[in-house]
Amino acid sequence: MLKTIKKRGRPQASYRLTTTGERIHGLLRRADGRWKISATRQTFVEPDEMLAVARFRQWQAKHQGGNLGQLAVHATAEAAMIDIARRTNAAGGSLSATVKLAGEGTGGWAVTDHTLSPEQWAWLRHQIIERPQWVAEQVGVEQVGYIRDLKRPRTSETLKKVGDLYAAKVGLSANEASRSKLMSKEFTRAAGAERISDITHDAVVVYERVIQSGTYAPKSILHRIRKVRTILAYAIKRGTAVADCRKALDITAMLEVRDHTPLDPRQITPHQFWSIYDAAAGAGDRVFAALMLTALNGAFYSSEVAKLKWQEIDLDRGEIVARRTKTGVSRVAVLWPETVEALNNLDRPGEYVFNTRVRSYTTFSVLEAWRKYRGNSGQPEDVTFGRIRDAGFTVACRISLDQARVLAGLRLPGASDHCVRRNPQFVANACRAIHDEFTAGRNKRSG
């Protein structure tokens, strides 16, 4: 029975380069910073790891019988081919070599290659360090002349890091920070770009194809594109990965969205609104039903109504005085009796008005609940929550453009911020018109 003879002894040590990750077998770095050649007692000091590897390669060539860059004569063609194989391995896998008869009648084979010998490499290294300008002139590569001024390139930052940097921006709302992280993750997943240097034209084309596949509305696509570019621009402003971010901004400029804002906004109809409202109320979800009423009453978007706080509501006076989360512009609303009653019936577990079983509502949880009750009511998927805002604003515009702007939180030319906040009743007629139109629509539906 044949037995395999197992080689005993310690395995050969190796060092992994920090720049490329390549393993250098036979070289290790001790805890005190000195370099040691495996299986020998020889150590040396060299702060630069690439120069340390160069010294190790020179030692290998000298002590391990290598003849790279030198002429060698062999008695047989077989020995010459073995020599070429060894030289190729020593040169890293690629070699330009010449094999020819050493001379007439000698019977020998001469092998040479076009690789520098260890001594020549050492000489060239010395010249590059001491006389870079001269070497640049000799080889015709201008960059060699200012090699002393070059810095080792840093690994490109990850998209996650620059996304987190933007999310930590002073004054950014928690909702906007959450949206930013989500859109950054979407871009990373769709484009396959973990690092900023991975953002190529091909990667952006893939991302564009994903977001235009029909899942998102044109305006939602526009928000995603702008958010990715805003995150990159903010990283430049903060001095993070400036060169990579500038290049990525140039590449993402190819992303465009046409007709993202329709000239004729599609508002929700009273029938659609009350169908979804009744589905929520019928399921016992009085919090979301109250949220819908408040959104229509004050022409709120999902993100705005989700972040409404109790301190911004005066139920005794039936008024809301708040600021838009997106712009910080003041907005006011006069509450309907139905809205006041719905809000009075809510629990108050914290500072926010509308809460799920786990935490306060966010844009995403609002839209999740909306999709659920929209499906239960049988309404089509194109009936979005944003149509509530469009409906309230459209009705208010029929009463007064100024009232509509203040109600929706748009800056009113010529009016100071504190004047708006001191006089919520300015929008009373606009709020009443929204109430009357949707109440009439409900009564007609019931009849």
Side-chain angles (χ1 to χ4, degrees):
M1 179 177 180
L2 294 176
K3 292 185 178 180
T4 303
I5 300 176
K6 186 175 182 180
K7 213 173 179 181
R8 299 186 179 276
R10 293 183 180 180
Q12 188 180 39
S14 64
Y15 175 75
R16 184 186 291 275
L17 292 177
T18 59
T19 52
T20 64
E22 178 188 357
R23 283 199 174 276
I24 308 299
H25 296 284
L27 181 67
L28 60 92
R29 195 166 197 174
R30 296 170 52 166
D32 60 5
R34 289 186 296 168
W35 299 91
K36 184 177 184 302
I37 299 176
S38 182
T40 73
R41 294 183 179 181
Q42 185 169 345
T43 63
F44 60 92
V45 177
E46 176 55 67
D48 190 299
E49 70 171 15
M50 297 307 294
L51 294 181
V53 172
R55 288 183 60 174
F56 172 64
R57 295 300 188 201
Q58 292 174 21
W59 179 91
Q60 279 185 316
K62 182 177 181 180
H63 293 85
Q64 295 183 355
N67 55 2
L68 195 64
Q70 300 176 356
L71 173 67
V73 177
H74 302 278
T76 65
E78 181 183 4
M81 297 306 296
I82 293 174
D83 184 21
I84 290 178
R86 287 174 178 169
R87 291 176 186 236
T88 303
N89 182 61
S94 178
L95 184 73
S96 175
T98 303
V99 182
K100 62 181 180 179
L101 288 171
E104 293 184 7
T106 63
W109 294 85
V111 176
T112 186
D113 61 68
H114 306 293
T115 305
L116 298 182
S117 67
E119 292 77 13
Q120 290 172 319
W121 279 117
W123 177 86
L124 180 59
R125 169 180 172 272
H126 178 78
Q127 300 305 316
I128 291 175
I129 294 175
E130 298 298 329
R131 304 170 63 193
Q133 192 62 47
W134 177 80
V135 175
E137 293 173 358
Q138 299 303 310
V139 300
V141 181
E142 178 187 357
Q143 290 82 350
V144 177
Y146 45 84
I147 192 171
R148 294 173 181 171
D149 300 324
L150 297 179
K151 295 181 180 179
R152 179 175 293 170
R154 297 176 58 186
T155 303
S156 179
E157 296 289 1
T158 63
L159 278 165
K160 181 182 184 305
K161 182 172 181 178
V162 296
D164 291 344
L165 177 67
Y166 179 78
K169 179 181 177 182
V170 176
L172 198 69
S173 68
N175 180 61
E176 188 63 19
S178 178
R179 283 167 53 84
S180 300
K181 289 183 178 180
L182 174 67
M183 293 179 182
S184 180
K185 287 181 181 178
E186 286 180 345
F187 181 86
T188 298
R189 186 168 55 250
E194 291 290 337
R195 297 185 178 276
I196 303 174
S197 57
D198 296 334
I199 300 178
T200 62
H201 282 90
D202 290 340
V204 173
V205 167
V206 173
Y207 172 71
E208 184 179 43
R209 191 180 301 123
V210 170
I211 62 175
Q212 292 183 351
S213 61
T215 304
Y216 305 112
K219 193 169 185 179
S220 182
I221 294 175
L222 180 68
H223 288 164
R224 280 163 166 78
I225 293 172
R226 285 179 174 174
K227 184 58 65 179
V228 170
R229 291 178 56 78
T230 298
I231 290 172
L232 294 171
Y234 184 74
I236 295 175
K237 184 177 180 181
R238 302 298 298 180
T240 300
V242 175
D244 285 339
C245 287
R246 288 193 188 281
K247 181 179 178 181
L249 276 176
D250 289 341
I251 293 174
T252 54
M254 64 186 286
L255 296 171
E256 295 180 349
V257 183
R258 297 182 179 180
D259 301 326
H260 52 78
T261 305
L263 297 177
D264 183 19
R266 302 178 66 184
Q267 61 199 57
I268 197 168
T269 66
H271 170 74
Q272 292 169 337
F273 178 86
W274 293 117
S275 293
I276 300 172
Y277 174 88
D278 289 340
D285 194 344
R286 55 192 177 90
V287 176
F288 193 75
L291 183 148
M292 287 183 60
L293 273 180
T294 307
L296 180 62
N297 193 157
F300 287 100
Y301 281 123
S302 58
S303 60
E304 297 166 345
V305 72
K307 291 306 175 185
L308 199 59
K309 299 179 179 179
W310 285 113
Q311 66 182 26
E312 298 169 328
I313 300 178
D314 187 336
L315 292 178
D316 294 331
R317 295 174 60 88
E319 296 172 350
I320 292 179
V321 179
R323 292 186 185 275
R324 283 195 72 188
T325 54
K326 181 178 180 180
T327 61
V329 176
S330 293
R331 68 185 311 166
V332 296
V334 176
L335 299 178
W336 311 329
E338 296 91 336
T339 309
V340 172
E341 181 182 0
L343 293 175
N344 270 322
N345 290 331
L346 298 181
D347 298 328
R348 300 193 180 191
E351 62 176 333
Y352 292 102
V353 177
F354 303 108
N355 299 273
T356 66
R357 295 180 180 179
V358 180
R359 51 160 295 174
S360 62
Y361 265 105
T362 65
T363 301
F364 309 111
S365 52
V366 169
L367 297 182
E368 183 180 5
W370 174 262
R371 288 190 288 267
K372 173 184 174 182
Y373 297 125
R374 180 185 61 195
N376 293 346
S377 67
Q379 295 301 319
E381 292 185 0
D382 63 348
V383 179
T384 62
F385 193 96
R387 291 193 183 187
I388 296 178
R389 152 84 169 201
D390 290 341
F393 186 72
T394 301
V395 175
C397 285
R398 298 177 194 153
I399 303 302
S400 164
L401 181 57
D402 287 347
Q403 287 190 43
R405 292 178 67 88
V406 172
L407 177 67
L410 304 177
R411 197 173 298 279
L412 184 64
S416 61
D417 203 51
H418 67 275
C419 289
V420 171
R421 298 174 70 85
R422 282 206 308 257
N423 186 25
Q425 293 297 322
F426 176 76
V427 298
N429 290 338
C431 292
R432 188 178 303 112
I434 300 172
H435 174 270
D436 291 346
E437 177 156 330
F438 273 76
T439 301
R442 184 171 200 180
N443 293 336
K444 182 178 179 180
R445 176 171 171 261
S446 302

